[in-house]
């Protein structure tokens, strides 16, 4: 009980909440993109359950964070998946394709898209959250992590609803959201441990850590991912129309 009253504990709570708020911008965009075509009632459910599922998944990932990030080719696979999701979101759906599908099926499809995309984007994020939890003393304190993430749910939900309203009014926001996923994918791919021996690097920020990819190369690959999603998405959309 004393541990829950310590300044270190509440400092860690604050850090986790801030981390998730800052990183929640990406989540809000993904959730909004995935749920934007649902009816209003279904949209609210999709946003809420997609957010809850994504955060619960992040809690599970905390247990495996350090191991996951060291696996070769995992980030490359995740980047390819994010590119696919980003491109798919830019391609308009045919109305006839979903004429015979129940609304609940669309809802679960949107929720699955949110959770899969968040799983990929969370590979880096969970390390920051785990580090903040560790600051409270001892091992990773799961009650602390869960509390911090749950507090962020209404913030991400509110952000998603705001993004959907912007997309309804300004369709270009959809394009920018897809490009954001491409940006994340490009940066994630070049950071894969399997590529470190083949790309320019700089010494690690933390002693004993793996070297980091040259920042200029990281941003160039991120920009390339964003452009790739834009070009392929627009090409497929034009062919479909």
């Amino acid at each position: 009980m004393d541990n829950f009253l310590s300044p270190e504990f509440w400092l860690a709570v604050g850090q986790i909440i801030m981390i998730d708020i800052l990183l929640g911008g990406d989540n809000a965009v993904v959730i909004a993109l995935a749920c934007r075509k649902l009816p209003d009632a279904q949209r609210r459910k999709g946003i809420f359950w997609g957010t809850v599922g994504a955060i619960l998944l992040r809690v599970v990932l905390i247990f495996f964070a350090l191991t996951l990030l060291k696996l070769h080719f995992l980030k490359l696979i995740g980047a390819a998946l994010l590119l696919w999701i980003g491109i798919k979101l830019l391609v308009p759906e045919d109305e006839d394709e979903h004429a015979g599908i129940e609304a609940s099926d669309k809802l679960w499809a949107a929720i699955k898209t949110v959770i899969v995309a968040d799983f990929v984007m969370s590979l880096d994020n969970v390390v920051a959250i785990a580090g903040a939890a560790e600051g409270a003393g001892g091992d990773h304190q799961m009650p602390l992590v869960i509390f911090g993430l749950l507090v962020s749910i209404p913030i991400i939900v509110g952000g998603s609803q705001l993004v959907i309203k912007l997309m309804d009014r300004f369709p270009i926001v959809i394009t920018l959201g897809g490009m954001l996923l491409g940006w994340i994918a490009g940066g994630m791919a070049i950071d894969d441990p399997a590529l470190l021996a083949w790309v320019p690097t700089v010494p690690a920020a933390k002693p004993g850590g793996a070297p980091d990819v040259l920042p200029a190369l990281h941003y160039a690959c991120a920009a390339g991912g964003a452009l790739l999603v834009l070009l392929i998405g627009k090409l497929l959309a034009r062919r479909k129309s």
Side-chain angles (χ1 to χ4, degrees):
M1 183 66 183
D2 291 340
N3 192 43
F4 286 89
L5 300 177
S6 68
E8 292 80 10
F9 177 87
W10 289 106
L11 177 61
V13 169
Q15 289 175 340
I16 290 173
I17 293 174
M18 287 305 299
I19 288 169
D20 210 60
I21 291 173
L22 293 172
L23 300 175
D26 297 342
N27 301 89
V29 171
V30 171
I31 293 168
L33 285 170
C35 299
R36 72 186 190 278
K37 293 186 179 180
L38 295 174
D40 287 342
Q42 297 286 344
R43 179 184 291 178
R44 287 191 289 271
K45 292 180 181 178
I47 289 174
F48 177 77
W49 289 112
T51 302
V52 171
I55 288 181
L56 290 177
L57 179 63
R58 186 170 295 181
V59 171
V60 174
L61 283 176
I62 293 288
F63 286 106
F64 309 103
L66 299 180
T67 302
L68 282 174
L69 291 174
K70 293 177 181 177
L71 292 178
H72 286 207
F73 304 109
L74 181 64
K75 287 187 176 182
L76 288 173
I77 295 171
L81 186 58
L82 269 188
L83 286 172
W84 177 77
I85 292 174
I87 292 169
K88 185 180 178 183
L89 291 172
L90 293 187
V91 179
E93 298 178 358
D94 292 332
E95 295 297 328
D96 296 339
E97 287 181 3
H98 301 296
I101 299 179
E102 296 290 334
S104 59
D105 293 335
K106 292 183 181 180
L107 172 64
W108 284 111
I111 292 173
K112 285 188 289 186
T113 298
V114 170
I115 293 176
V116 169
D118 191 77
F119 168 78
V120 176
M121 293 190 298
S122 294
L123 292 177
D124 286 325
N125 300 357
V126 291
V127 174
I129 295 173
E134 205 170 27
D139 299 328
H140 300 325
Q141 308 212 2
M142 291 312 299
L144 171 61
V145 173
I146 293 170
F147 173 77
L149 294 179
L150 289 179
V151 168
S152 70
I153 287 179
I155 298 167
I156 297 177
V157 169
S160 303
Q161 292 173 334
L162 175 61
V163 173
I164 285 181
K165 290 179 181 178
L166 288 174
M167 286 191 297
D168 289 340
R169 188 166 183 179
F170 307 104
I172 192 169
V173 175
I174 299 174
T175 301
L176 295 176
M179 292 179 68
L180 173 62
L181 294 184
W183 176 278
I184 296 170
M188 178 182 293
I190 197 61
D191 285 336
D192 191 284
L195 301 181
L196 287 180
W198 306 94
V199 298
T201 58
V202 295
K206 293 183 179 181
D212 298 319
V213 174
L214 192 70
L217 179 60
H218 174 89
Y219 289 119
C221 290
L227 291 175
L228 185 64
V229 168
L230 176 65
L231 293 176
I232 297 179
K234 290 298 184 182
L235 177 62
L236 294 178
R238 184 176 300 175
R239 286 185 176 181
K240 198 163 188 177
S241 62

